Amino acid sequence: MPSLADRLQPGSPYPLGATFDGLGINFAVFSANADAIELCLFDPAGKRELARLPLPECTDEVWHGYLPDAEPGLLYGFRAHGAYDPEAGHRFNPHKLLLDPYARRLHGTIKWTDALHGYRIGHRREDLSFDKRDSAPAMPKGVVVDDHWDWSRDRRPNTPWSDTVIYEAHTKGLTRLMEEVPARERGTYAALGHPAVIRHLQRLGVTALELLPIHAFTQDRFLQEKGLRNYWGYNTLGFFAPEQAYMSSEHQDELRRAVHRLHNAGIEVILDVVYNHTCEGSEKGPTLSWRGLDNASYYRLVADQPRYTINDTGTGNTLNMSKGRVIQMVADSLRYWATSFGIDGFRFDLGLTLGREATGFDPGSAFFDVVRQDPVLGRLKLIAEPWDVGIGGYQLGNFPPGFAEWNDKYRDTVRRYWRGDAGQRGELAARLSGSGDLFDRRARRPWASVNFIAAHDGFTLADTVMYEDRHNEANGEDNRDGHDNNHSRNWGAEGPTDDPSINDARGRVMRSMMTTLLASLGTPMLVAGDEFGRTQQGNNNAYCQDNAISWLDWKAAASPDGEALIDFTARLIALRKRYPVLHAATFLYGQETPGQGINDIEWWDERGQSLSPEDWQNAEGRALLMRRAIRTAGDEVEAVSLLLNGGSDPVTFRLPPPGERRRVLIDSAKPDQAEIEIGDEYEVAPQGAVLLTWTSAWAA
């Protein structure tokens, strides 16, 4: 390491973080309540502290200094001086090394020790006590990077929302067992751009790969003590730094290269991001970064007892999105990933929290306004998880224009219907047609409803038809964790079975649910592995299972059953692309837009009769026909019908209007059947779903 100056020059308060300008490094960090902040420099191994240099200036609550002749690769952290007064919300402790919230790379990992806490664990005064042990030996360090990347040759797919099909996957789990990928790259960023991955995604026809969190995150102490790991990554340590465990090399460019290759293949990349909380937990959690820099600014605290953090997230703390600098940190992080890594969109974990003000959730909150007006972020795909665990913590359909939302009502309704529950027909119709009752406001479009049957959290599609109870024993919580109501059915046996009739029913129901998903109005999302029947052995909360429970089994995918389901799923996605009415850009309300007395959407029962109010209320009615129609550019009416039989007996549907020739596009009970011509009737198997079409010349 070259010799460095023994003091810092004033530098600049902008940009925040550590910025190399070719001649040196500017450091800038926000704290509204600190009395002083020191920059700590470390040797290349991150073990020896070489210098502590006070940041000499504070401008607009940003502490800053410039280190001449310093270069990328420098390891650093901060120490913040100020009041240690937890009852007033302040927890400054200069004995604790703090990560730069804007650090773009981390060196090392957390080594859990009580010294990471600002107070003495076990002390009679608990978090009101003060700990003087140095935490630096147990802390990762920030690394200064020069991460310029030439994106001029990259072409973002810019897939229209209405054409989007999302594939949710875990960076490691997707390729950890994929033998076509070189061994050293399996489970890494590099593997995401491997031809084998791209071939599979293109074979399916998905348009966007959504990755579970790849921001640097912690391995939780309580999990490590049980011999488990934080696999999902929903516990952020750094909002700007890629998780190093997914690196196959020393160069973060491997992630950029993977994104570039996916773009070249026409596939967008969406990141699942966690800005609702941090890994520091409650007031009794460790002091790693934000808490030590300015606890009272970064976190929402109980108004009349600021010693305590507000826990609207269920993780111990909640970021204070009412503070301008906190919003800036999140917006800067989003913009960094979009511009430096080419990311096409974001899914906001517990997105409701980001819109919380002192009075509760506000769709007009500052964060939403900042993102929507931003010239970079406002053009990306933005998806919210519309709930958290605080008061008023369920806001499905209430997010502002520009955001799509995970629609859990869609998931639960579809599962209940195919399980055979009574009284689902009316609710199912609302979900099939884009959930306009929830989303058709403020000029929002059907794509705002992200429809899914399974996601990373909960049963996989296969487990939804294999298990009626969760089986989370491997998580070490006596099977108490995870959802206890999964709207699932095992069809005669709990778990795997050799019974052919049970397996036949399970396969048919999986295909019917997949048909329902891809024929519904809205944005469909598949979770990786559902296209070949992946199981987690009944574990519906595999957040801590970094093993074969969570990793995709590509040998199972290559089995005859796996290949057959992949082909069936690919056919459905191809049909969705082939028939525009299946991904219509506007809500349909039974208006006579195509002409010839044909409405844009119509509903019938198996008799070919329009459903009366009494029919809709009939709890035992399990047959439903939805027909959607559009007028094509060639002056024809193109109609696609979805026939659903949620009952246990076959049902023969009479198909209006009579006298037309129709074509069955796909039948969940006959996955090998090619497209066939039919007349006015068609038999749908028990728990069967069928897509068919007809085209009629436009009457002059």
PDB file of all heavy atoms in Angstrom, residues 112-145:
ATOM      1  N   TRP A 112     -19.523 -13.180  14.558  1.00  0.00           N
ATOM      2  CA  TRP A 112     -20.422 -12.807  15.642  1.00  0.00           C
ATOM      3  C   TRP A 112     -19.740 -12.873  17.006  1.00  0.00           C
ATOM      4  O   TRP A 112     -19.149 -13.880  17.389  1.00  0.00           O
ATOM      5  CB  TRP A 112     -21.664 -13.683  15.652  1.00  0.00           C
ATOM      6  CG  TRP A 112     -22.602 -13.324  14.540  1.00  0.00           C
ATOM      7  CD1 TRP A 112     -22.878 -14.047  13.421  1.00  0.00           C
ATOM      8  CD2 TRP A 112     -23.357 -12.115  14.439  1.00  0.00           C
ATOM      9  NE1 TRP A 112     -23.762 -13.371  12.622  1.00  0.00           N
ATOM     10  CE2 TRP A 112     -24.075 -12.182  13.206  1.00  0.00           C
ATOM     11  CE3 TRP A 112     -23.497 -10.981  15.239  1.00  0.00           C
ATOM     12  CZ2 TRP A 112     -24.922 -11.158  12.795  1.00  0.00           C
ATOM     13  CZ3 TRP A 112     -24.342  -9.967  14.819  1.00  0.00           C
ATOM     14  CH2 TRP A 112     -25.040 -10.066  13.615  1.00  0.00           C
ATOM     15  N   THR A 113     -19.827 -11.769  17.715  1.00  0.00           N
ATOM     16  CA  THR A 113     -19.300 -11.623  19.067  1.00  0.00           C
ATOM     17  C   THR A 113     -20.114 -10.552  19.762  1.00  0.00           C
ATOM     18  O   THR A 113     -20.679  -9.654  19.109  1.00  0.00           O
ATOM     19  CB  THR A 113     -17.813 -11.217  19.048  1.00  0.00           C
ATOM     20  OG1 THR A 113     -17.413 -10.792  20.351  1.00  0.00           O
ATOM     21  CG2 THR A 113     -17.570 -10.055  18.091  1.00  0.00           C
ATOM     22  N   ASP A 114     -20.170 -10.599  21.079  1.00  0.00           N
ATOM     23  CA  ASP A 114     -20.921  -9.592  21.821  1.00  0.00           C
ATOM     24  C   ASP A 114     -20.348  -8.193  21.631  1.00  0.00           C
ATOM     25  O   ASP A 114     -21.046  -7.198  21.854  1.00  0.00           O
ATOM     26  CB  ASP A 114     -20.941  -9.940  23.311  1.00  0.00           C
ATOM     27  CG  ASP A 114     -21.795 -11.165  23.609  1.00  0.00           C
ATOM     28  OD1 ASP A 114     -22.459 -11.662  22.674  1.00  0.00           O
ATOM     29  OD2 ASP A 114     -21.795 -11.630  24.759  1.00  0.00           O
ATOM     30  N   ALA A 115     -19.084  -8.096  21.204  1.00  0.00           N
ATOM     31  CA  ALA A 115     -18.460  -6.792  21.006  1.00  0.00           C
ATOM     32  C   ALA A 115     -19.096  -6.013  19.855  1.00  0.00           C
ATOM     33  O   ALA A 115     -18.853  -4.809  19.716  1.00  0.00           O
ATOM     34  CB  ALA A 115     -16.963  -6.959  20.751  1.00  0.00           C
ATOM     35  N   LEU A 116     -19.896  -6.666  19.026  1.00  0.00           N
ATOM     36  CA  LEU A 116     -20.569  -5.966  17.938  1.00  0.00           C
ATOM     37  C   LEU A 116     -21.738  -5.121  18.443  1.00  0.00           C
ATOM     38  O   LEU A 116     -22.289  -4.325  17.692  1.00  0.00           O
ATOM     39  CB  LEU A 116     -21.080  -6.967  16.899  1.00  0.00           C
ATOM     40  CG  LEU A 116     -19.998  -7.658  16.057  1.00  0.00           C
ATOM     41  CD1 LEU A 116     -20.603  -8.793  15.244  1.00  0.00           C
ATOM     42  CD2 LEU A 116     -19.319  -6.651  15.137  1.00  0.00           C
ATOM     43  N   HIS A 117     -22.112  -5.277  19.685  1.00  0.00           N
ATOM     44  CA  HIS A 117     -23.210  -4.503  20.253  1.00  0.00           C
ATOM     45  C   HIS A 117     -22.667  -3.254  20.934  1.00  0.00           C
ATOM     46  O   HIS A 117     -21.588  -3.269  21.533  1.00  0.00           O
ATOM     47  CB  HIS A 117     -23.999  -5.345  21.260  1.00  0.00           C
ATOM     48  CG  HIS A 117     -24.779  -6.448  20.611  1.00  0.00           C
ATOM     49  ND1 HIS A 117     -24.175  -7.561  20.062  1.00  0.00           N
ATOM     50  CD2 HIS A 117     -26.120  -6.606  20.416  1.00  0.00           C
ATOM     51  CE1 HIS A 117     -25.108  -8.358  19.560  1.00  0.00           C
ATOM     52  NE2 HIS A 117     -26.289  -7.804  19.761  1.00  0.00           N
ATOM     53  N   GLY A 118     -23.450  -2.195  20.875  1.00  0.00           N
ATOM     54  CA  GLY A 118     -23.036  -0.946  21.505  1.00  0.00           C
ATOM     55  C   GLY A 118     -23.196  -0.948  23.001  1.00  0.00           C
ATOM     56  O   GLY A 118     -22.722  -0.040  23.680  1.00  0.00           O
ATOM     57  N   TYR A 119     -23.859  -1.948  23.535  1.00  0.00           N
ATOM     58  CA  TYR A 119     -24.092  -2.054  24.977  1.00  0.00           C
ATOM     59  C   TYR A 119     -23.552  -3.391  25.476  1.00  0.00           C
ATOM     60  O   TYR A 119     -23.168  -4.263  24.681  1.00  0.00           O
ATOM     61  CB  TYR A 119     -25.589  -1.924  25.275  1.00  0.00           C
ATOM     62  CG  TYR A 119     -26.419  -3.072  24.724  1.00  0.00           C
ATOM     63  CD1 TYR A 119     -26.774  -4.158  25.528  1.00  0.00           C
ATOM     64  CD2 TYR A 119     -26.842  -3.078  23.398  1.00  0.00           C
ATOM     65  CE1 TYR A 119     -27.526  -5.208  25.022  1.00  0.00           C
ATOM     66  CE2 TYR A 119     -27.595  -4.120  22.884  1.00  0.00           C
ATOM     67  CZ  TYR A 119     -27.937  -5.177  23.691  1.00  0.00           C
ATOM     68  OH  TYR A 119     -28.665  -6.224  23.200  1.00  0.00           O
ATOM     69  N   ARG A 120     -23.532  -3.564  26.784  1.00  0.00           N
ATOM     70  CA  ARG A 120     -23.028  -4.800  27.386  1.00  0.00           C
ATOM     71  C   ARG A 120     -24.163  -5.813  27.483  1.00  0.00           C
ATOM     72  O   ARG A 120     -25.098  -5.652  28.267  1.00  0.00           O
ATOM     73  CB  ARG A 120     -22.472  -4.529  28.789  1.00  0.00           C
ATOM     74  CG  ARG A 120     -21.339  -3.515  28.847  1.00  0.00           C
ATOM     75  CD  ARG A 120     -20.036  -4.060  28.346  1.00  0.00           C
ATOM     76  NE  ARG A 120     -19.537  -5.178  29.122  1.00  0.00           N
ATOM     77  CZ  ARG A 120     -18.329  -5.729  28.960  1.00  0.00           C
ATOM     78  NH1 ARG A 120     -17.525  -5.259  28.004  1.00  0.00           N
ATOM     79  NH2 ARG A 120     -17.938  -6.731  29.689  1.00  0.00           N
ATOM     80  N   ILE A 121     -24.093  -6.840  26.658  1.00  0.00           N
ATOM     81  CA  ILE A 121     -25.109  -7.888  26.709  1.00  0.00           C
ATOM     82  C   ILE A 121     -25.065  -8.556  28.084  1.00  0.00           C
ATOM     83  O   ILE A 121     -23.997  -8.917  28.586  1.00  0.00           O
ATOM     84  CB  ILE A 121     -24.878  -8.921  25.589  1.00  0.00           C
ATOM     85  CG1 ILE A 121     -25.186  -8.288  24.233  1.00  0.00           C
ATOM     86  CG2 ILE A 121     -25.746 -10.153  25.799  1.00  0.00           C
ATOM     87  CD1 ILE A 121     -25.032  -9.238  23.064  1.00  0.00           C
ATOM     88  N   GLY A 122     -26.239  -8.706  28.696  1.00  0.00           N
ATOM     89  CA  GLY A 122     -26.325  -9.307  30.023  1.00  0.00           C
ATOM     90  C   GLY A 122     -26.234  -8.304  31.150  1.00  0.00           C
ATOM     91  O   GLY A 122     -26.443  -8.655  32.319  1.00  0.00           O
ATOM     92  N   HIS A 123     -25.908  -7.052  30.843  1.00  0.00           N
ATOM     93  CA  HIS A 123     -25.824  -6.025  31.876  1.00  0.00           C
ATOM     94  C   HIS A 123     -27.216  -5.755  32.441  1.00  0.00           C
ATOM     95  O   HIS A 123     -28.218  -5.829  31.737  1.00  0.00           O
ATOM     96  CB  HIS A 123     -25.242  -4.738  31.271  1.00  0.00           C
ATOM     97  CG  HIS A 123     -24.829  -3.716  32.274  1.00  0.00           C
ATOM     98  ND1 HIS A 123     -25.732  -2.856  32.856  1.00  0.00           N
ATOM     99  CD2 HIS A 123     -23.612  -3.407  32.810  1.00  0.00           C
ATOM    100  CE1 HIS A 123     -25.098  -2.053  33.690  1.00  0.00           C
ATOM    101  NE2 HIS A 123     -23.801  -2.366  33.679  1.00  0.00           N
ATOM    102  N   ARG A 124     -27.280  -5.402  33.704  1.00  0.00           N
ATOM    103  CA  ARG A 124     -28.584  -5.185  34.339  1.00  0.00           C
ATOM    104  C   ARG A 124     -29.354  -4.036  33.699  1.00  0.00           C
ATOM    105  O   ARG A 124     -30.581  -4.007  33.736  1.00  0.00           O
ATOM    106  CB  ARG A 124     -28.400  -4.932  35.840  1.00  0.00           C
ATOM    107  CG  ARG A 124     -27.569  -3.704  36.163  1.00  0.00           C
ATOM    108  CD  ARG A 124     -27.418  -3.501  37.662  1.00  0.00           C
ATOM    109  NE  ARG A 124     -26.592  -2.358  37.970  1.00  0.00           N
ATOM    110  CZ  ARG A 124     -27.011  -1.093  37.938  1.00  0.00           C
ATOM    111  NH1 ARG A 124     -28.266  -0.847  37.621  1.00  0.00           N
ATOM    112  NH2 ARG A 124     -26.201  -0.100  38.223  1.00  0.00           N
ATOM    113  N   ARG A 125     -28.648  -3.075  33.098  1.00  0.00           N
ATOM    114  CA  ARG A 125     -29.317  -1.948  32.447  1.00  0.00           C
ATOM    115  C   ARG A 125     -29.550  -2.225  30.952  1.00  0.00           C
ATOM    116  O   ARG A 125     -29.978  -1.345  30.215  1.00  0.00           O
ATOM    117  CB  ARG A 125     -28.504  -0.664  32.632  1.00  0.00           C
ATOM    118  CG  ARG A 125     -28.319  -0.270  34.075  1.00  0.00           C
ATOM    119  CD  ARG A 125     -27.584   1.056  34.203  1.00  0.00           C
ATOM    120  NE  ARG A 125     -28.425   2.172  33.778  1.00  0.00           N
ATOM    121  CZ  ARG A 125     -28.051   3.090  32.896  1.00  0.00           C
ATOM    122  NH1 ARG A 125     -26.853   3.004  32.314  1.00  0.00           N
ATOM    123  NH2 ARG A 125     -28.870   4.087  32.569  1.00  0.00           N
ATOM    124  N   GLU A 126     -29.227  -3.427  30.528  1.00  0.00           N
ATOM    125  CA  GLU A 126     -29.428  -3.863  29.146  1.00  0.00           C
ATOM    126  C   GLU A 126     -28.867  -2.851  28.158  1.00  0.00           C
ATOM    127  O   GLU A 126     -27.709  -2.443  28.277  1.00  0.00           O
ATOM    128  CB  GLU A 126     -30.934  -4.135  28.907  1.00  0.00           C
ATOM    129  CG  GLU A 126     -31.491  -5.241  29.762  1.00  0.00           C
ATOM    130  CD  GLU A 126     -32.935  -5.536  29.470  1.00  0.00           C
ATOM    131  OE1 GLU A 126     -33.744  -4.589  29.492  1.00  0.00           O
ATOM    132  OE2 GLU A 126     -33.240  -6.707  29.202  1.00  0.00           O
ATOM    133  N   ASP A 127     -29.696  -2.407  27.171  1.00  0.00           N
ATOM    134  CA  ASP A 127     -29.168  -1.555  26.111  1.00  0.00           C
ATOM    135  C   ASP A 127     -28.917  -0.118  26.558  1.00  0.00           C
ATOM    136  O   ASP A 127     -28.458   0.711  25.762  1.00  0.00           O
ATOM    137  CB  ASP A 127     -30.112  -1.553  24.900  1.00  0.00           C
ATOM    138  CG  ASP A 127     -31.477  -1.000  25.234  1.00  0.00           C
ATOM    139  OD1 ASP A 127     -32.161  -1.598  26.089  1.00  0.00           O
ATOM    140  OD2 ASP A 127     -31.868   0.026  24.638  1.00  0.00           O
ATOM    141  N   LEU A 128     -29.165   0.196  27.818  1.00  0.00           N
ATOM    142  CA  LEU A 128     -28.792   1.506  28.349  1.00  0.00           C
ATOM    143  C   LEU A 128     -27.332   1.534  28.781  1.00  0.00           C
ATOM    144  O   LEU A 128     -26.775   2.609  29.026  1.00  0.00           O
ATOM    145  CB  LEU A 128     -29.692   1.882  29.534  1.00  0.00           C
ATOM    146  CG  LEU A 128     -31.193   2.011  29.231  1.00  0.00           C
ATOM    147  CD1 LEU A 128     -31.954   2.353  30.514  1.00  0.00           C
ATOM    148  CD2 LEU A 128     -31.436   3.071  28.170  1.00  0.00           C
ATOM    149  N   SER A 129     -26.720   0.365  28.881  1.00  0.00           N
ATOM    150  CA  SER A 129     -25.302   0.291  29.247  1.00  0.00           C
ATOM    151  C   SER A 129     -24.431   0.621  28.041  1.00  0.00           C
ATOM    152  O   SER A 129     -24.942   0.821  26.928  1.00  0.00           O
ATOM    153  CB  SER A 129     -24.979  -1.095  29.802  1.00  0.00           C
ATOM    154  OG  SER A 129     -25.176  -2.083  28.798  1.00  0.00           O
ATOM    155  N   PHE A 130     -23.130   0.672  28.241  1.00  0.00           N
ATOM    156  CA  PHE A 130     -22.198   1.111  27.192  1.00  0.00           C
ATOM    157  C   PHE A 130     -21.034   0.130  27.111  1.00  0.00           C
ATOM    158  O   PHE A 130     -20.441  -0.232  28.131  1.00  0.00           O
ATOM    159  CB  PHE A 130     -21.687   2.520  27.520  1.00  0.00           C
ATOM    160  CG  PHE A 130     -20.872   3.158  26.426  1.00  0.00           C
ATOM    161  CD1 PHE A 130     -21.484   3.691  25.310  1.00  0.00           C
ATOM    162  CD2 PHE A 130     -19.486   3.236  26.520  1.00  0.00           C
ATOM    163  CE1 PHE A 130     -20.751   4.304  24.298  1.00  0.00           C
ATOM    164  CE2 PHE A 130     -18.734   3.839  25.527  1.00  0.00           C
ATOM    165  CZ  PHE A 130     -19.371   4.374  24.407  1.00  0.00           C
ATOM    166  N   ASP A 131     -20.705  -0.302  25.893  1.00  0.00           N
ATOM    167  CA  ASP A 131     -19.652  -1.297  25.685  1.00  0.00           C
ATOM    168  C   ASP A 131     -18.443  -0.636  25.034  1.00  0.00           C
ATOM    169  O   ASP A 131     -18.575   0.027  23.996  1.00  0.00           O
ATOM    170  CB  ASP A 131     -20.166  -2.432  24.797  1.00  0.00           C
ATOM    171  CG  ASP A 131     -19.173  -3.576  24.709  1.00  0.00           C
ATOM    172  OD1 ASP A 131     -18.234  -3.467  23.892  1.00  0.00           O
ATOM    173  OD2 ASP A 131     -19.337  -4.561  25.438  1.00  0.00           O
ATOM    174  N   LYS A 132     -17.259  -0.815  25.621  1.00  0.00           N
ATOM    175  CA  LYS A 132     -16.049  -0.157  25.135  1.00  0.00           C
ATOM    176  C   LYS A 132     -15.149  -1.075  24.312  1.00  0.00           C
ATOM    177  O   LYS A 132     -14.052  -0.676  23.916  1.00  0.00           O
ATOM    178  CB  LYS A 132     -15.255   0.413  26.314  1.00  0.00           C
ATOM    179  CG  LYS A 132     -15.973   1.538  27.036  1.00  0.00           C
ATOM    180  CD  LYS A 132     -15.093   2.140  28.124  1.00  0.00           C
ATOM    181  CE  LYS A 132     -15.795   3.312  28.814  1.00  0.00           C
ATOM    182  NZ  LYS A 132     -14.948   3.927  29.857  1.00  0.00           N
ATOM    183  N   ARG A 133     -15.579  -2.276  24.025  1.00  0.00           N
ATOM    184  CA  ARG A 133     -14.738  -3.186  23.238  1.00  0.00           C
ATOM    185  C   ARG A 133     -14.732  -2.765  21.763  1.00  0.00           C
ATOM    186  O   ARG A 133     -15.765  -2.359  21.229  1.00  0.00           O
ATOM    187  CB  ARG A 133     -15.232  -4.618  23.375  1.00  0.00           C
ATOM    188  CG  ARG A 133     -14.944  -5.241  24.734  1.00  0.00           C
ATOM    189  CD  ARG A 133     -15.623  -6.593  24.887  1.00  0.00           C
ATOM    190  NE  ARG A 133     -17.081  -6.455  24.969  1.00  0.00           N
ATOM    191  CZ  ARG A 133     -17.910  -7.484  25.144  1.00  0.00           C
ATOM    192  NH1 ARG A 133     -17.420  -8.718  25.230  1.00  0.00           N
ATOM    193  NH2 ARG A 133     -19.212  -7.282  25.228  1.00  0.00           N
ATOM    194  N   ASP A 134     -13.588  -2.900  21.134  1.00  0.00           N
ATOM    195  CA  ASP A 134     -13.453  -2.550  19.716  1.00  0.00           C
ATOM    196  C   ASP A 134     -14.083  -3.657  18.869  1.00  0.00           C
ATOM    197  O   ASP A 134     -13.728  -4.836  19.007  1.00  0.00           O
ATOM    198  CB  ASP A 134     -11.973  -2.388  19.374  1.00  0.00           C
ATOM    199  CG  ASP A 134     -11.753  -1.950  17.931  1.00  0.00           C
ATOM    200  OD1 ASP A 134     -12.742  -1.566  17.272  1.00  0.00           O
ATOM    201  OD2 ASP A 134     -10.600  -2.007  17.475  1.00  0.00           O
ATOM    202  N   SER A 135     -14.993  -3.278  17.985  1.00  0.00           N
ATOM    203  CA  SER A 135     -15.669  -4.279  17.156  1.00  0.00           C
ATOM    204  C   SER A 135     -14.970  -4.521  15.824  1.00  0.00           C
ATOM    205  O   SER A 135     -15.370  -5.413  15.074  1.00  0.00           O
ATOM    206  CB  SER A 135     -17.117  -3.832  16.880  1.00  0.00           C
ATOM    207  OG  SER A 135     -17.142  -2.687  16.044  1.00  0.00           O
ATOM    208  N   ALA A 136     -13.924  -3.739  15.515  1.00  0.00           N
ATOM    209  CA  ALA A 136     -13.300  -3.819  14.191  1.00  0.00           C
ATOM    210  C   ALA A 136     -12.858  -5.228  13.806  1.00  0.00           C
ATOM    211  O   ALA A 136     -13.046  -5.635  12.649  1.00  0.00           O
ATOM    212  CB  ALA A 136     -12.133  -2.845  14.096  1.00  0.00           C
ATOM    213  N   PRO A 137     -12.231  -6.017  14.715  1.00  0.00           N
ATOM    214  CA  PRO A 137     -11.800  -7.360  14.303  1.00  0.00           C
ATOM    215  C   PRO A 137     -12.940  -8.258  13.838  1.00  0.00           C
ATOM    216  O   PRO A 137     -12.705  -9.215  13.086  1.00  0.00           O
ATOM    217  CB  PRO A 137     -11.144  -7.917  15.575  1.00  0.00           C
ATOM    218  CG  PRO A 137     -10.717  -6.714  16.351  1.00  0.00           C
ATOM    219  CD  PRO A 137     -11.791  -5.701  16.092  1.00  0.00           C
ATOM    220  N   ALA A 138     -14.165  -7.970  14.254  1.00  0.00           N
ATOM    221  CA  ALA A 138     -15.302  -8.819  13.907  1.00  0.00           C
ATOM    222  C   ALA A 138     -16.111  -8.277  12.740  1.00  0.00           C
ATOM    223  O   ALA A 138     -17.070  -8.914  12.305  1.00  0.00           O
ATOM    224  CB  ALA A 138     -16.217  -8.975  15.125  1.00  0.00           C
ATOM    225  N   MET A 139     -15.703  -7.117  12.229  1.00  0.00           N
ATOM    226  CA  MET A 139     -16.506  -6.433  11.208  1.00  0.00           C
ATOM    227  C   MET A 139     -15.929  -6.593   9.808  1.00  0.00           C
ATOM    228  O   MET A 139     -14.713  -6.526   9.620  1.00  0.00           O
ATOM    229  CB  MET A 139     -16.578  -4.935  11.523  1.00  0.00           C
ATOM    230  CG  MET A 139     -17.596  -4.571  12.583  1.00  0.00           C
ATOM    231  SD  MET A 139     -19.302  -4.775  11.991  1.00  0.00           S
ATOM    232  CE  MET A 139     -19.379  -3.539  10.697  1.00  0.00           C
ATOM    233  N   PRO A 140     -16.811  -6.750   8.802  1.00  0.00           N
ATOM    234  CA  PRO A 140     -16.345  -6.596   7.417  1.00  0.00           C
ATOM    235  C   PRO A 140     -15.995  -5.133   7.181  1.00  0.00           C
ATOM    236  O   PRO A 140     -16.424  -4.247   7.933  1.00  0.00           O
ATOM    237  CB  PRO A 140     -17.552  -7.030   6.581  1.00  0.00           C
ATOM    238  CG  PRO A 140     -18.726  -6.846   7.480  1.00  0.00           C
ATOM    239  CD  PRO A 140     -18.247  -7.036   8.880  1.00  0.00           C
ATOM    240  N   LYS A 141     -15.209  -4.888   6.147  1.00  0.00           N
ATOM    241  CA  LYS A 141     -14.801  -3.530   5.817  1.00  0.00           C
ATOM    242  C   LYS A 141     -15.320  -3.158   4.432  1.00  0.00           C
ATOM    243  O   LYS A 141     -15.513  -4.019   3.577  1.00  0.00           O
ATOM    244  CB  LYS A 141     -13.276  -3.388   5.840  1.00  0.00           C
ATOM    245  CG  LYS A 141     -12.681  -3.239   7.248  1.00  0.00           C
ATOM    246  CD  LYS A 141     -12.680  -4.551   8.009  1.00  0.00           C
ATOM    247  CE  LYS A 141     -12.121  -4.397   9.422  1.00  0.00           C
ATOM    248  NZ  LYS A 141     -12.155  -5.693  10.154  1.00  0.00           N
ATOM    249  N   GLY A 142     -15.532  -1.869   4.240  1.00  0.00           N
ATOM    250  CA  GLY A 142     -15.870  -1.399   2.913  1.00  0.00           C
ATOM    251  C   GLY A 142     -14.647  -1.396   2.027  1.00  0.00           C
ATOM    252  O   GLY A 142     -13.516  -1.229   2.504  1.00  0.00           O
ATOM    253  N   VAL A 143     -14.840  -1.582   0.735  1.00  0.00           N
ATOM    254  CA  VAL A 143     -13.753  -1.558  -0.238  1.00  0.00           C
ATOM    255  C   VAL A 143     -14.062  -0.481  -1.272  1.00  0.00           C
ATOM    256  O   VAL A 143     -15.156  -0.461  -1.844  1.00  0.00           O
ATOM    257  CB  VAL A 143     -13.591  -2.921  -0.945  1.00  0.00           C
ATOM    258  CG1 VAL A 143     -12.399  -2.885  -1.910  1.00  0.00           C
ATOM    259  CG2 VAL A 143     -13.425  -4.049   0.066  1.00  0.00           C
ATOM    260  N   VAL A 144     -13.108   0.399  -1.496  1.00  0.00           N
ATOM    261  CA  VAL A 144     -13.279   1.415  -2.524  1.00  0.00           C
ATOM    262  C   VAL A 144     -13.146   0.750  -3.890  1.00  0.00           C
ATOM    263  O   VAL A 144     -12.205  -0.015  -4.129  1.00  0.00           O
ATOM    264  CB  VAL A 144     -12.234   2.538  -2.374  1.00  0.00           C
ATOM    265  CG1 VAL A 144     -12.420   3.585  -3.472  1.00  0.00           C
ATOM    266  CG2 VAL A 144     -12.348   3.186  -1.001  1.00  0.00           C
ATOM    267  N   VAL A 145     -14.089   1.024  -4.776  1.00  0.00           N
ATOM    268  CA  VAL A 145     -14.065   0.404  -6.101  1.00  0.00           C
ATOM    269  C   VAL A 145     -14.116   1.479  -7.182  1.00  0.00           C
ATOM    270  O   VAL A 145     -14.616   2.585  -6.972  1.00  0.00           O
ATOM    271  CB  VAL A 145     -15.245  -0.572  -6.298  1.00  0.00           C
ATOM    272  CG1 VAL A 145     -15.196  -1.697  -5.283  1.00  0.00           C
ATOM    273  CG2 VAL A 145     -16.579   0.153  -6.203  1.00  0.00           C
TER     274      VAL A 145
END
